[in-house]
Amino acid sequence: MLIFTVIGLSMAGIPVENLLGLTCEELEELTVAHHQPRYRGRQLYRAIYARRQTDFAALTDLDKSFRQRLSTNYRVQYPSIERRFESRDGAVRYLLALEDDQTVEAVSMPEEDRTTLCLSSQAGCAVDCHFCFTALLGLKRNLTAGEIVGQVLAILADRQLPAQSRLNIVFMGMGEPLLNFASVMKSVKLLSDSGGMAIPWRRIALSTVGIVPGIKKLASEAKRPKLAISLNASTEEQRTALMPVNRKYPLRDLLAACRVYPLRPGERLTFEYVMIDGFNDSPEDARRVAKLLGGLRAKVNLIPYNPGPEMPYHSPLPKRVLAFQKVLTERQLPAFIRVSRGQDVRAACGQLSLAGLDVQNHPAPTT
Ligand code: SAH
């Protein structure tokens, strides 16, 4: 007991270990280590993830001495809200501070019958997409499963959303989720566990720049989130100019991995296509995209570019977006226009963290 107490405290007397991110089994082991029955671990698990409690003193179903021991040694702490930007369209963009003062962004987007939460998987990003604001930050570090789940819990608490709220989760914030595979998958298991946060697997989507080995690894998982792939171009050259990662994982290999990806009944692969004015928004581009995706069970989300002063790119004209969509749908490829939300709060990925940073402009791409 004394050993636990001494080890568990920081210099300031605050318990060091944050329990957020531990699975039910890990919490069971922790309670057993404290000479408590295993089921106490399950109670703790439900309290943290299903009832979303952070104060051990409130867990009156646990006996008092155990509660005290928990309070002395552990804490349940969400990322703290550094800044909050409320858009006129209802989206709320958060800048969240982690325990080492790294910051990540997450967005809450209320819709009619549910709320979509956009999460970060890394602080910064190592993939150098030329149009992306997060890329300008470089990779700071991977997030832990607790920091990923903590984004959801922090936002739910801030929005005062009830425990039973219907949520969609998308890994479309900062970072490349398939380059932080283990923590992202652990977080998805925690988010979807019916005894905990209970967000159905089919309500969780992961967006990747197209890390082919990661896609193959995901394909071998028994339970996996829905997969979205950032296509963003219609030829190898064009994609390489925009996303240098295409040299390592060219479209050819990416689409080959997509063709053998195991889809559930009724499921489709989503391809995101960020439309940039005068670069990849022509009807010829649309025809090439339809050809590339021919034979795949796919849909396309067309995302008009969300501009910012750091970048030389612009949004396409709305009529170009509509014409692009028409070409795809005429070719039996479902295509949806995703209007960027939270534009008035600089909601494009990475824009909040960039605010105030002195970053270099990327040159305009040429093909
Ligand atoms: N690394 C992952 C997830 C993060 S980016 C990926 O690349 O998919 C999520 C989506 O936002 C991607 O489709 C990306 O192409 C898009 N995106 C990034 N910056 C954008 C911007 N300024 N405007 C519109 N979409 C953007």
Side-chain angles (χ1 to χ4, degrees):
M1 170 65 195
L2 184 65
I3 296 171
F4 275 122
T5 309
V6 172
I7 293 176
L9 292 181
S10 72
M11 297 286 274
I14 301 164
V16 177
E17 197 179 339
N18 191 351
L19 296 186
L20 206 57
L22 295 194
T23 61
C24 194
E25 295 72 41
E26 287 166 340
L27 287 169
E28 282 172 0
E29 273 154 35
L30 182 138
T31 47
V32 168
H34 281 276
H35 310 295
Q36 292 283 324
R38 201 160 263 278
Y39 74 87
R40 292 264 183 248
R42 288 196 288 281
Q43 284 177 310
L44 196 52
Y45 177 81
R46 279 194 293 274
I48 295 173
Y49 298 106
R51 301 210 307 274
R52 307 195 314 233
Q53 280 169 318
T54 54
D55 181 7
F56 296 122
L59 311 184
T60 45
D61 50 347
L62 304 182
D63 73 65
K64 203 168 170 201
S65 68
F66 184 44
R67 269 184 275 154
Q68 272 165 355
R69 207 181 305 176
L70 287 172
S71 309
T72 316
N73 293 284
Y74 306 104
R75 64 206 155 91
V76 177
Q77 195 172 328
Y78 305 161
S80 60
I81 296 172
E82 189 107 315
R83 289 157 80 192
R84 181 195 293 100
F85 298 84
E86 305 201 9
S87 165
R88 281 189 295 274
D89 66 16
V92 185
R93 188 157 189 85
Y94 292 91
L95 187 66
L96 300 168
L98 308 174
E99 292 186 13
D100 60 355
D101 288 336
Q102 292 292 348
T103 54
V104 293
E105 298 172 31
V107 188
S108 157
M109 291 169 282
E111 284 143 45
E112 250 166 50
D113 60 340
R114 59 179 61 246
T115 299
T116 297
L117 302 182
C118 175
L119 308 184
S120 291
S121 56
Q122 299 178 310
C125 187
V127 185
D128 188 27
C129 299
H130 288 333
F131 58 90
C132 176
F133 298 95
T134 304
L136 300 179
L137 297 165
L139 178 66
K140 307 293 182 194
R141 66 170 174 85
N142 279 336
L143 301 191
T144 63
E147 288 168 334
I148 296 171
V149 171
Q151 295 171 55
V152 176
L153 291 166
I155 295 178
L156 292 179
D158 185 63
R159 295 286 98 204
Q160 299 182 343
L161 287 167
Q164 311 314 330
S165 301
R166 289 153 69 88
L167 299 175
N168 282 331
I169 302 290
V170 294
F171 284 88
M172 293 184 189
M174 294 166 86
E176 168 48 48
L178 293 184
L179 293 180
N180 185 16
F181 196 91
S183 295
V184 167
M185 285 310 287
K186 186 176 180 188
S187 74
V188 170
K189 281 179 189 133
L190 286 167
L191 292 168
S192 59
D193 180 32
S194 56
M197 294 179 72
I199 302 166
W201 285 87
R202 66 193 157 75
R203 293 277 170 206
I204 304 176
L206 174 161
S207 171
T208 177
V209 77
I211 307 293
V212 173
I215 294 173
K216 290 182 178 163
K217 210 164 153 197
L218 195 63
S220 67
E221 293 279 325
K223 288 187 166 178
R224 36 176 196 276
K226 290 205 296 191
L227 182 59
I229 290 151
S230 297
L231 184 66
N232 296 349
S234 65
T235 66
E236 297 277 7
E237 299 68 37
Q238 195 187 46
R239 195 165 191 268
T240 302
L242 210 53
M243 305 162 75
V245 70
N246 194 62
R247 282 199 193 93
K248 194 161 181 193
Y249 305 117
L251 266 182
R252 192 178 353 99
D253 298 354
L254 175 58
L255 293 172
C258 292
R259 288 187 199 287
V260 296
Y261 191 80
L263 292 169
R264 288 162 284 218
E267 187 184 355
R268 288 175 184 272
L269 285 171
T270 299
F271 287 88
E272 294 150 291
Y273 193 95
V274 176
M275 294 186 68
I276 299 176
D277 180 44
F279 179 69
N280 64 359
D281 62 342
S282 70
E284 300 79 67
D285 284 308
R287 282 192 282 275
R288 282 193 294 259
V289 166
K291 208 164 169 197
L292 282 174
L293 304 185
L296 276 168
R297 236 156 72 197
K299 65 169 182 157
V300 177
N301 282 344
L302 299 171
I303 314 170
Y305 184 64
N306 205 347
E310 299 87 355
M311 300 281 181
Y313 308 109
H314 304 282
S315 302
L317 294 171
K319 66 174 188 203
R320 298 273 275 186
V321 181
L322 288 170
F324 200 107
Q325 180 189 34
K326 189 158 173 272
V327 171
L328 298 184
T329 48
E330 277 171 0
R331 285 162 176 73
Q332 275 66 56
L333 191 57
F336 305 90
I337 300 169
R338 295 285 177 225
V339 184
S340 299
R341 296 191 55 183
Q343 297 215 354
D344 51 334
V345 291
R346 303 207 67 209
C349 166
Q351 284 186 322
L352 277 192
S353 298
L354 275 180
L357 283 187
D358 187 17
V359 288
Q360 286 185 327
N361 284 353
H362 267 292
T366 46
T367 48

